Amino acid sequence: MITLYGAQAAFGLPQVSPYVTKTEVQLKMAGLAYEPSDAMPDESPKGQIPFIDDGDVRVADSTFIRLHLERTYGVDFDEGLSPRQRAEAWAVERMLENQLGWVIGYFRWLTPENFEKGPAHFFDDAPAGLQDAIRAEVLAEVRAAMRAQGVARHSDAEIVELGLRSLAALSEILGDQPFLFGDRPCGTDATALGMLAALYTPFFPCELRDRALGFGNLVDYADRLMALFYPEFPWRAEAAEPLAA
């Protein structure tokens, strides 16, 4: 039995972390039995979630978990894709995780109202006298990481623009297909679900979310993936008319 260490259901999401969502969906795609378990990032060998235990093997980072599953269980998450499509799938995944993910995280962590009702509660189990100090320390670390990555060096309007560029590209690639590369989901669809669900949850309002609701095919795509992989979870990304550019 594989143990998936990650977050938990909160913020209108089946998993708080889009990276945990990615791994959980890939486990479901592979038909592999697993047991979810809550964990904090500092429990991971790489200081981040998700990580898994598979027998006596521990693997951290969603990308390396995927590689472990493919090599250990003979799974090909991109089965049926051409070499070019496999290359495109990798490029899309990098765009989602290394660009859009940071943008989404910015509005979750560095918008004060969203932080206070969301990530600030990650530390509610800390000793009462230390909670505020821990929250401030972690928030400062997140802000520093986002500045080092680059996203926090921009204005909010510029960050929205960056997010919209990635969403427009994803929308164009998806087109009117059920999934990114045709009639069946591939590994990158799991990544896309994690990111789009994190953006579309109404728990964290922001301009990017409002604008993202204007990509009708992405709204439907997120709904389709949620119905497929989390049928028991109440979910419907609310549709809206596109805002003026």
Side-chain angles (χ1 to χ4, degrees):
M1 175 71 73
I2 296 169
T3 302
L4 170 62
Y5 295 97
Q8 56 187 328
F11 310 154
L13 298 165
Q15 286 285 351
V16 169
S17 165
Y19 303 93
V20 178
T21 301
K22 167 190 170 182
T23 294
E24 184 167 56
V25 168
Q26 289 176 348
L27 285 165
K28 293 181 178 188
M29 285 180 174
L32 296 171
Y34 69 96
E35 180 178 11
S37 181
D38 295 348
M40 295 297 289
D42 60 4
E43 299 174 62
S44 166
K46 295 186 178 180
Q48 61 186 15
I49 54 174
F51 60 100
I52 65 167
D53 282 340
D54 188 4
D56 58 358
V57 176
R58 174 163 287 187
V59 185
D61 186 278
S62 62
T63 298
F64 288 100
I65 293 171
R66 170 182 172 163
L67 292 174
H68 169 81
L69 299 179
E70 289 178 325
R71 292 166 179 169
T72 303
Y73 296 97
V75 178
D76 182 359
F77 289 106
D78 292 343
E79 183 179 357
L81 300 192
S82 68
R84 181 181 180 88
Q85 287 175 321
R86 288 173 183 265
E88 292 171 347
W90 175 250
V92 170
E93 185 166 302
R94 295 303 91 216
M95 176 185 72
L96 294 174
E97 293 192 345
N98 294 355
Q99 198 271 347
L100 185 61
W102 284 95
V103 169
I104 294 168
Y106 174 89
F107 290 111
R108 180 182 291 195
W109 281 84
L110 298 188
T111 299
E113 297 83 359
N114 285 343
F115 175 76
E116 289 300 328
K117 70 176 185 175
H121 290 286
F122 293 158
F123 315 103
D124 287 349
D125 292 335
L130 298 177
Q131 287 180 8
D132 288 345
I134 293 172
R135 289 188 183 105
E137 179 182 356
V138 173
L139 183 58
E141 291 174 353
V142 170
R143 182 178 285 108
M146 290 190 176
R147 184 167 178 80
Q149 189 274 342
V151 65
R153 297 175 184 268
H154 309 305
S155 69
D156 283 8
E158 289 171 330
I159 296 169
V160 168
E161 185 174 1
L162 291 175
L164 289 173
R165 290 287 299 271
S166 289
L167 289 167
L170 185 66
S171 175
E172 184 66 27
I173 291 167
L174 176 65
D176 59 1
Q177 302 175 107
F179 305 105
L180 283 173
F181 294 98
D183 293 332
R184 57 182 292 181
C186 70
T188 303
D189 289 287
T191 306
L193 175 57
M195 295 300 166
L196 290 176
L199 177 59
Y200 281 138
T201 175
F203 193 88
F204 295 114
C206 64
E207 183 183 352
L208 180 62
R209 179 182 184 273
D210 293 341
R211 300 285 294 271
L213 288 167
F215 293 97
N217 67 336
L218 295 185
V219 173
D220 292 343
Y221 172 56
D223 289 346
R224 188 180 308 119
L225 288 168
M226 286 294 293
L228 181 59
F229 293 108
Y230 294 100
E232 74 291 348
F233 193 84
W235 172 269
R236 179 66 171 89
E238 58 200 78
E241 293 299 320
L243 299 184

